[in-house]
Amino acid sequence: MKFFNLPDLGEGIPEADIVKWHIQEGDSVTEDQIIVSVETAKAIVDVPSPATGVVAKLYGQSGDTIMTGAPLLEFVCDQEDAGTVVGQLATATHDDSSDDDFFIGTPPDSGKAPAAAARGNISDLAAKLGVSIDPKGVGRDSIRHSYPLENPEPLKGVRKHMARTMAQSHAEVVPVTLFDDVDIEHWPKGTDITVRLIQAITIACKEEPALNAWFDETVMSREVFTSVNLGLAVDSDDGLFVPVIKDAEKRDADSLRDSINYFRKAVKERSLPQSEMQGGTITLSNFGVFAGQFATPIVVPPMVCIIGVGRLRTRVVNENGQIENHRILPISLTFDHRVVTGGEATRFLHCMLEALSH
């Protein structure tokens, strides 16, 4: 008998949810045959068989969560192996996804400190025991209450990752939100609003780069970037995705629109590569396409700023002594006040509004 453990599916992902088995117990499989589809926090992945053999036992059913390195299936095969595990496994200790790579602003191939890895192991154990541990852990009640749900629906994949990421943000970030309006009545008919917003953000990043940055609280250090890697929040039935438009400041309007269309299509088809959701330095959430004028968007570490755009509305204004109806676009800017000063944030917002007013 040989055991095939769930391999590392990339970038230290600690777990995956079984979406569908493509085989059954007793089936004969060949090497590289797709045996199961699993969902990680970033994508649906088809896992191939590492060897030819007969399936003896499947570990888990559709909807179950399997930790990286845990048994996925057991089968009989002719291949000799020095150990009991077939397939490539991660050699490093994996931490909890609350400390894992982010959808938003994740540095590629970032290493984790031993303390972070240890915290992840404790978090994994706490999750299995049904308790929640405060990441700060000092001077607070570290165990949260459990509520008796009549029909519990476990969060999977993207939604589960989103829940953990939002909890991390709530625990770490000191958020402040600024609100303002911009009159866009002068814009030509058919102007691409999202593209104009991205262009305004890149201009503001050049004038006030402190908001286009990452912050590491463990060493109390920030890194300010010249390139604008803009995370674009995209809603889907499966949860929130934030693909990243790399070097947005170098793109023209057509290139930006092409990227937006590509990302929306890829999110809908769940074909977006993990590499396209890393490295964001600042984020745009255009929630106004659905509803809402102002919001307090969530800053996800290591980034320090997110811009939210609300629903376009009309407002009565005094234009050169004449009463007119103008189109007004509401803007919400949330920043991490541990790193960004109020002056830096207001200058950034002012520059962005000026760019949109022209």
Side-chain angles (χ1 to χ4, degrees):
M1 293 290 184
K2 301 287 184 180
F3 292 90
F4 176 39
N5 293 5
L6 179 66
D8 186 347
L9 298 174
E11 301 154 16
I13 292 175
E15 64 186 23
D17 302 326
I18 297 175
V19 176
K20 180 182 179 181
W21 284 105
H22 299 289
I23 55 173
Q24 298 179 354
E25 293 179 358
D27 285 355
S28 296
V29 297
T30 58
E31 185 175 357
D32 294 330
Q33 176 183 339
I34 299 302
I35 55 176
V36 64
S37 296
V38 298
E39 182 178 18
T40 70
K42 301 180 180 182
I44 294 178
V45 180
D46 290 331
V47 179
S49 173
T52 298
V54 177
V55 177
K57 183 177 181 180
L58 303 180
Y59 289 88
Q61 302 175 352
S62 297
D64 289 349
T65 299
I66 306 294
M67 303 300 294
T68 298
L72 190 59
L73 62 84
E74 180 182 358
F75 59 94
V76 181
C77 67
D78 296 330
Q79 293 184 6
E80 292 294 333
D81 192 81
T84 59
V85 177
V86 180
Q88 181 181 359
L89 297 179
T91 57
T93 301
H94 299 292
D95 57 27
D96 182 75
S97 63
S98 62
D99 285 304
D100 195 4
D101 298 329
F102 302 112
F103 276 121
I104 309 173
T106 303
D109 301 324
S110 58
K112 298 294 184 293
R119 184 167 66 247
N121 293 335
I122 295 172
S123 299
D124 290 341
L125 176 61
K128 293 178 181 178
L129 296 177
V131 299
S132 179
I133 298 178
D134 189 324
K136 301 301 182 184
V138 179
R140 302 183 186 180
D141 180 7
S142 61
I143 299 180
R144 297 188 177 93
H145 296 288
S146 177
Y147 300 98
L149 304 179
E150 292 184 4
N151 299 292
E153 178 187 349
L155 298 183
K156 300 291 182 181
V158 178
R159 288 185 182 274
K160 180 164 58 177
H161 183 87
M162 180 179 68
R164 289 172 171 170
T165 302
M166 294 301 101
Q168 179 203 11
S169 174
H170 179 72
E172 294 183 6
V173 175
V174 180
V176 176
T177 304
L178 302 175
F179 306 104
D180 215 324
D181 286 322
V182 59
D183 190 329
I184 62 169
E185 183 63 27
H186 60 285
W187 284 11
K189 185 177 180 180
T191 297
D192 192 322
I193 294 178
T194 303
V195 167
R196 281 295 304 268
L197 288 166
I198 295 174
Q199 292 174 328
I201 290 172
T202 62
I203 292 171
C205 286
K206 182 177 180 180
E207 293 297 321
E208 186 52 79
L211 282 80
N212 186 45
W214 286 347
F215 176 63
D216 185 347
E217 68 170 351
T218 62
V219 292
M220 294 300 291
S221 300
R222 70 170 183 169
E223 181 175 1
V224 178
F225 300 99
T226 54
S227 296
V228 181
N229 293 338
L230 186 133
L232 184 65
V234 179
D235 184 58
S236 77
D237 293 338
D238 297 314
L240 181 67
F241 291 80
V242 188
V244 177
I245 300 176
K246 304 292 177 60
D247 299 319
E249 79 282 1
K250 300 178 181 178
R251 307 283 196 93
D252 60 20
D254 290 338
S255 175
L256 290 172
R257 173 43 59 186
D258 288 343
S259 292
I260 295 168
N261 292 341
Y262 160 71
F263 285 144
R264 295 193 181 281
K265 183 175 184 291
V267 166
K268 183 177 180 180
E269 297 174 351
R270 292 300 301 272
S271 61
L272 193 65
Q274 296 176 11
S275 60
E276 300 281 11
M277 293 185 283
Q278 295 182 321
T281 58
I282 194 168
T283 305
L284 170 63
S285 176
N286 191 6
F287 61 85
V289 297
F290 302 108
Q293 292 184 17
F294 296 100
T296 54
I298 304 299
V299 176
V300 176
M303 287 188 301
V304 300
C305 177
I306 180 172
I307 296 97
V309 181
R311 177 172 50 85
L312 185 66
R313 70 187 191 278
T314 58
R315 188 177 70 186
V316 175
V317 300
N318 184 339
E319 182 73 12
N320 299 323
Q322 300 295 319
I323 302 300
E324 299 180 2
N325 284 326
H326 281 197
R327 294 178 298 161
I328 304 297
L329 197 62
I331 307 292
S332 304
L333 184 151
T334 300
F335 63 97
D336 187 344
H337 213 340
R338 298 175 303 169
V339 194
V340 180
T341 69
E344 290 167 338
T346 53
R347 286 192 293 272
F348 182 97
L349 181 58
H350 174 76
C351 183
M352 186 178 168
L353 296 176
E354 283 290 305
L356 293 171
S357 296
H358 292 161

